[in-house]
Amino acid sequence: MAIAADQPIRWGVIGTGGIAATFARDLALLPDAEIVAVGSRSQAGADAFADRFAIGHRHSSYEALARDPEVDAVYVATPHPMHRDNALLAIQAGKAVLVEKPFTINAAEAAELIDAAKTQGTFLMEAMWTRFLPHVVRIRELIAAGRLGELRSMTADHGQWFPSNPEFRLFAPELGGGALLDLGIYPLSFASMLFGSPSTVTAVSDKAMTGVDAQTAVVLQYVGGRQSVSFTTLETRTANHASINGRDARIEIDGVFYTPTTFSIIDRDGATERVEIAHEGHGLRHQAAEVGRCLRAGLVESPVMPQAETLSIMETLDEVRRQIGLRYPTEV
Ligand SMILES: NC(=O)c1ccc[n+]([C@@H]2O[C@H](COP(=O)([O-])OP(=O)(O)OC[C@H]3O[C@@H](n4cnc5c(N)ncnc54)[C@H](OP(=O)(O)O)[C@@H]3O)[C@@H](O)[C@H]2O)c1
């Protein structure tokens, strides 16, 4: 589905929770996109969200949202165990689809969505918003230009403190809870962006009271002996730093590395250059801008967040979960 350059992308949102609201607020800062419809499990939910963000079409089911003829692109913002079914509705209706991270609960579901989009000829992308943030774009440019020399390793952490509540999404197994899929995916996706698919995966973990992972450390090794160390936790607020280490220089990304932030380039001899890029808003809109760019170019996937890489990240998450003994109710 190619969209003319002068036409705004008309978005429909599935789900009306925390991230859907953040997306709606940030999309308002994007000139060539608008939310025209929202779908909720209830009419009251759709109405409340639509009132908050001045959205015209209010659907009392995700099916109706997916069928809305005025929607070009659907943003799936439900808990991860629902991503597969909700995204399939939109793909089968021929919409472009942006699916929150983690893309699905496991790699088998991810492959199913990718196959469905290919069959349908529709655009599909994982909403790994960090990849599209200005500081990450700049970091990729610096690496491509050889500023760090040969890359050898990366370390990153994503840790948040959440009150212990077994019903809260991050602790609830039926909602895909646990640090790994919700938070750990950020350092793991960052490592994937730098190094691709790992050749070996080694993970250790400790469980929360509900059996999901409370904190998990993952060491990956890649072709050529490059390594990444990722740590995630939902028990402590960590520095949320990332370091990319090259033979000539390293980049240290200030906390919170996966949101708009600053970084330093530190040469082998210690000389330091600060990079500070002014940024307005939350930052979720940049991935929506990428969807718009791709649709206008007639692309069915983004070269920045390709489907094969999303699948590879899900395979790494599956292998980590196999090693730490974490399965979800929808998988048994
Ligand atoms: N990119 C980011 O920075 C970021 C941040 C937070 C979360 N996320 C991701 O976004 C997704 C949603 O997270 P969230 O924090 O927005 O969750 P949330 O606040 O709990 O909202 C989820 C929404 O999904 C819908 N839903 C459908 N089935 C549900 C069920 N069985 N239980 C609860 N809600 C259900 C509900 O909307 P209706 O009732 O209207 O149908 C609900 O409001 C997750 O996959 C998460 O990993 C991404």
Side-chain angles (χ1 to χ4, degrees):
M1 177 205 351
I3 294 185
D6 58 350
Q7 263 181 273
I9 307 295
R10 299 168 302 173
W11 284 89
V13 176
I14 287 186
T16 60
I19 202 62
T22 306
F23 183 78
R25 268 192 299 276
D26 213 53
L27 205 73
L29 299 174
L30 199 62
D32 53 3
E34 57 181 325
I35 299 182
V36 299
V38 60
S40 170
R41 292 169 298 171
S42 69
Q43 190 63 56
D47 288 342
F49 193 87
D51 286 346
R52 251 173 106 190
F53 298 106
I55 297 168
H57 299 201
R58 302 130 183 250
H59 299 289
S60 61
S61 74
Y62 300 158
E63 289 81 356
L65 180 285
R67 282 196 307 265
D68 188 327
E70 288 185 31
V71 167
D72 302 313
V74 170
Y75 171 55
V76 176
T78 50
H80 357 307
M82 291 86 198
H83 288 179
R84 189 252 317 253
D85 288 355
N86 299 159
L88 268 180
L89 287 173
I91 292 169
Q92 285 161 357
K95 307 297 188 194
V97 188
L98 175 67
V99 186
E100 255 309 333
K101 40 58 55 180
F103 191 61
T104 47
I105 209 79
N106 57 36
E109 290 188 0
E112 204 181 327
L113 286 189
I114 292 167
D115 283 351
K118 285 197 197 316
T119 303
Q120 193 73 32
T122 54
F123 178 89
L124 177 66
M125 188 178 98
E126 175 190 353
M128 180 36 77
W129 64 296
T130 299
R131 205 162 279 208
F132 304 96
L133 296 176
H135 73 288
V136 177
V137 172
R138 177 76 63 85
I139 286 169
R140 275 204 306 276
E141 288 166 359
L142 287 163
I143 290 170
R147 179 68 179 82
L148 304 189
E150 186 198 356
L151 297 192
R152 292 299 293 154
S153 63
M154 181 222 79
T155 62
D157 65 286
H158 185 175
Q160 308 285 345
W161 175 87
F162 293 104
S164 297
N165 170 5
E167 278 155 35
F168 175 49
R169 182 173 68 73
L170 269 99
F171 289 99
E174 67 279 13
L175 296 178
L180 178 70
L181 291 197
D182 214 280
L183 315 175
I185 190 167
Y186 284 97
L188 290 169
S189 177
F190 206 72
S192 170
M193 181 186 82
L194 297 169
F195 300 136
S197 301
S199 40
T200 62
V201 176
T202 309
V204 291
S205 186
D206 185 44
K207 286 191 194 321
M209 70 296 195
T210 54
V212 301
D213 70 304
Q215 56 178 7
T216 300
V218 181
V219 178
L220 304 179
Q221 182 147 291
Y222 308 84
V223 171
R226 294 174 299 172
Q227 299 177 346
S228 70
V229 180
S230 297
F231 174 71
T232 186
T233 173
L234 44 69
E235 295 181 317
T236 54
R237 169 87 193 197
T238 62
N240 293 299
H241 282 166
S243 296
I244 306 166
N245 306 301
R247 289 196 192 272
D248 298 339
R250 72 179 187 274
I251 284 178
E252 288 188 1
I253 311 178
D254 303 319
V256 172
F257 85 89
Y258 59 88
T259 70
T261 187
T262 47
F263 65 91
S264 300
I265 309 166
I266 303 163
D267 288 332
R268 223 175 22 220
D269 64 7
T272 300
E273 183 186 332
R274 286 287 289 162
V275 181
E276 299 185 356
I277 303 171
H279 188 269
E280 189 193 352
H282 179 279
L284 276 184
R285 69 187 179 281
H286 301 293
Q287 60 185 347
E290 171 70 355
V291 176
R293 188 189 73 76
C294 291
L295 293 183
R296 292 187 179 97
L299 302 177
V300 289
E301 66 177 307
S302 162
V304 181
M305 187 66 256
Q307 293 165 2
E309 190 186 343
T310 289
L311 184 61
S312 160
I313 292 166
M314 291 310 307
E315 285 166 351
T316 300
L317 291 168
D318 280 4
E319 174 56 18
V320 170
R321 290 200 297 119
R322 190 190 66 75
Q323 291 185 18
I324 68 175
L326 175 57
R327 284 181 74 76
Y328 289 103
T330 51
E331 297 180 299
V332 288

